[in-house]
Amino acid sequence: MTYHPKSEFIAIMMERGFLADCTDYQGLDDALSNQVVPAYIGFDATAKSLHVGSLIQIMMLRWLQKTGHKPITLMGGGTTKVGDPSFRADERPLLGPEQIDANIAGIKEVFSAYLDYGDAPTDALMINNAEWLDGLNYLDFLRDIGRHFSINRMLSFESVKSRLDREQSLSFLEFNYMILQAYDFLELNRRYGCLLQMGGSDQWGNIVNGIDLTRRVLDHEIYGLTSPLLTTSDGKKMGKSLAGAIWLNADMLSPYEFWQFWRNTTDADTGRFLKLYTELPVAECDRLGALAGSEINEAKIILANEVTTLLHGADAAKAAEATAREVFEKGGIGDDLPTLTLSKADVQDGISIVQLLVRSGLAGSGREAKRLIADNGARLNDAPLTDASLVMDAAALAAPIKLSAGKKRHALVRIG
């Protein structure tokens, strides 16, 4: 891309690797250069926490605010009742209102770590699209909004086309999702003057729909900007690990485990992730990412500390690093390790080592735990664990024990 932006926000997006595409570079750049631009990203409430896959979007909103503009975090209290079908093979499970509200409450906790909310011109807004979606009259909506959508065009969007090409069912409920998301953009523009929607590149079709609808109904000029869909250098989807999703809420994933995820970044991803997920200068990110041999490990520790500090605070990052050094360099038991606390009733008749590996989160199932032991991948207090039939009683657990899966995943087990 040869476009040279005037606005600081687009320059940062391009330089740090956030930008995949934009509906109108010149128009958006002019708007960002001449006024405070309100911009939004939508987050559906399908779980009680967002995971690392959403962090690129959150960082985009953070940079938007840091460069003098107004972020809007749109909670999908309404759209979650439908479920985004984009690039999915099947329909999402439908959630009830109480579960959606509980999920939104959990998700809100993360945003305050990255954004400043309030009433000032560049303070962030937290809005729930149930505000306008819950009270819609179906016939009025079909007449006033539905008539602007071409079924032929909607069927041509890659997110829908890929599902139909595989002859997988797409319900009418899901098909309406893109209309509702387009309507969100129109309402945010009408109510809050929102000029920009951002999202992952899989949202391109939905964003373009919202821009077209707003032009047709309000005759307003608005814009869309997308980020690349991130995969790690080995092709895995960002945000997932062998142990499951890397959640952002501390009650769903400890700050230590979060820190460890970033510390375990592959060499090839380190420089790129420093640019996307930290605020270190780009030149420093490039320098750190180019280190080789054992030196790249210090770059990964910097990455882990910077990302953990943004989300959980500097104290949590320091504690995680101290625990990691204690565990890995000294072979000790770190105070900050994930801990499984058992009751006396749990161990009254003894508890198998296989159960402990599963309950501590080091294995996803009993079968996986047994395979881990058979492959010499499990350790008990840093000694190889070779007996899958081992049963631990209260005496064996009188002092905390450390379980390990491979070299990098550990947990404490103790009786509470």
Side-chain angles (χ1 to χ4, degrees):
M1 190 192 309
T2 55
Y3 184 76
H4 299 290
K6 297 175 291 182
S7 66
E8 187 184 4
F9 177 67
I10 290 188
I12 288 171
M13 290 296 97
M14 293 173 70
E15 187 179 33
R16 299 187 81 96
F18 284 97
L19 202 97
D21 213 340
C22 180
T23 55
D24 179 358
Y25 284 106
Q26 187 68 60
L28 177 58
D29 197 27
D30 288 345
L32 288 161
S33 301
N34 296 319
Q35 66 186 95
V36 173
V37 170
Y40 92 97
I41 298 177
F43 300 88
D44 276 347
T46 52
K48 287 184 180 176
S49 170
L50 299 174
H51 63 64
V52 161
S54 298
L55 199 50
I56 187 170
Q57 317 297 341
I58 296 171
M59 289 300 293
M60 289 168 79
L61 290 172
R62 182 174 170 87
W63 280 115
L64 183 90
Q65 188 169 51
K66 285 171 73 77
T67 54
H69 301 285
K70 189 177 189 70
I72 298 173
T73 45
L74 182 69
M75 297 289 99
T79 39
T80 304
K81 293 170 184 172
V82 176
D84 185 358
S86 297
F87 296 98
R88 285 183 61 86
D90 52 10
E91 190 169 342
R92 289 185 187 274
L94 296 181
L95 302 178
E98 288 182 3
Q99 184 62 62
I100 290 172
D101 289 344
N103 289 352
I104 287 174
I107 289 170
K108 281 181 177 179
E109 294 173 17
V110 165
F111 287 107
S112 58
Y114 293 90
L115 302 172
D116 294 322
Y117 287 87
D119 300 321
T122 62
D123 280 349
L125 292 176
M126 175 82 68
I127 299 166
N128 188 334
N129 64 12
E131 185 181 315
W132 51 83
L133 294 181
D134 277 4
L136 285 178
N137 178 294
Y138 187 58
L139 290 177
D140 288 346
F141 184 73
L142 285 179
R143 185 192 62 205
D144 298 338
I145 302 300
R147 67 190 179 88
H148 294 293
F149 288 83
S150 159
I151 293 289
N152 309 56
R153 188 158 178 268
M154 289 164 78
L155 288 171
S156 72
F157 285 125
E158 191 58 37
S159 57
V160 173
K161 195 165 171 285
S162 61
R163 180 105 156 242
L164 298 178
D165 285 349
R166 295 193 299 267
E167 297 184 359
Q168 290 162 332
S169 173
L170 180 72
S171 72
F172 181 67
L173 176 72
E174 293 175 286
F175 198 61
N176 275 269
Y177 184 93
M178 63 180 76
I179 300 179
L180 295 177
Q181 186 173 326
Y183 187 64
D184 281 347
F185 202 174
L186 184 150
E187 284 295 334
L188 286 168
N189 178 257
R190 178 154 49 196
R191 295 172 184 229
Y192 302 99
C194 183
L195 294 180
L196 170 64
Q197 182 184 357
M198 300 188 291
S201 56
D202 60 337
Q203 295 298 313
W204 179 258
N206 290 334
I207 292 171
V208 169
N209 267 336
I211 292 170
D212 288 347
L213 178 65
T214 305
R215 282 176 182 158
R216 289 168 187 263
V217 177
L218 301 178
D219 196 26
H220 290 175
E221 192 68 28
I222 57 177
Y223 309 97
L225 183 151
T226 59
S227 61
L229 286 183
L230 274 194
T231 55
T232 55
S233 58
D234 54 4
K236 290 177 183 166
K237 193 173 179 182
M238 187 65 184
K240 302 283 186 179
S241 76
L242 290 173
I246 303 301
W247 301 108
L248 301 184
N249 286 34
D251 60 345
M252 292 181 68
L253 187 81
S254 73
Y256 172 79
E257 290 171 291
F258 182 79
W259 187 95
Q260 230 7 94
F261 169 78
W262 295 99
R263 168 62 184 83
N264 293 337
T265 296
T266 60
D267 294 2
D269 289 325
T270 303
R272 181 169 60 128
F273 286 0
L274 281 161
K275 288 181 196 171
L276 290 170
Y277 298 110
T278 81
E279 294 173 342
L280 293 175
V282 169
E284 178 66 358
C285 296
D286 286 336
R287 184 189 73 78
L288 290 168
L291 294 174
S294 60
E295 287 186 329
I296 193 73
N297 289 329
E298 288 306 311
K300 293 177 188 180
I301 288 172
I302 291 169
L303 170 67
N305 283 339
E306 292 287 328
V307 181
T308 305
T309 296
L310 279 174
L311 178 59
H312 295 298
D315 289 346
K318 285 177 192 167
E321 182 182 357
T323 294
R325 291 195 186 277
E326 171 76 13
V327 170
F328 300 120
E329 294 177 10
K330 302 173 189 173
I333 293 179
D335 293 334
D336 202 28
L337 281 181
T339 301
L340 168 64
T341 302
L342 301 170
S343 68
K344 288 181 181 176
D346 287 329
V347 297
Q348 188 172 2
D349 300 318
I351 186 167
S352 73
I353 199 71
V354 167
Q355 273 187 281
L356 291 179
L357 285 167
V358 173
R359 289 183 60 178
S360 63
L362 296 177
S365 65
R367 179 181 293 178
E368 186 182 321
K370 289 174 183 175
R371 187 169 63 247
L372 189 68
I373 293 168
D375 293 343
N376 299 315
R379 299 175 82 82
L380 171 61
N381 291 334
D382 297 319
L385 184 55
T386 56
D387 184 4
S389 64
L390 179 65
V391 174
M392 308 290 285
D393 58 17
L397 292 165
I401 64 167
K402 182 171 83 170
L403 291 176
S404 306
K407 294 180 180 178
K408 297 179 178 178
R409 294 173 55 224
H410 310 270
L412 292 184
V413 180
R414 64 183 181 86
I415 298 175

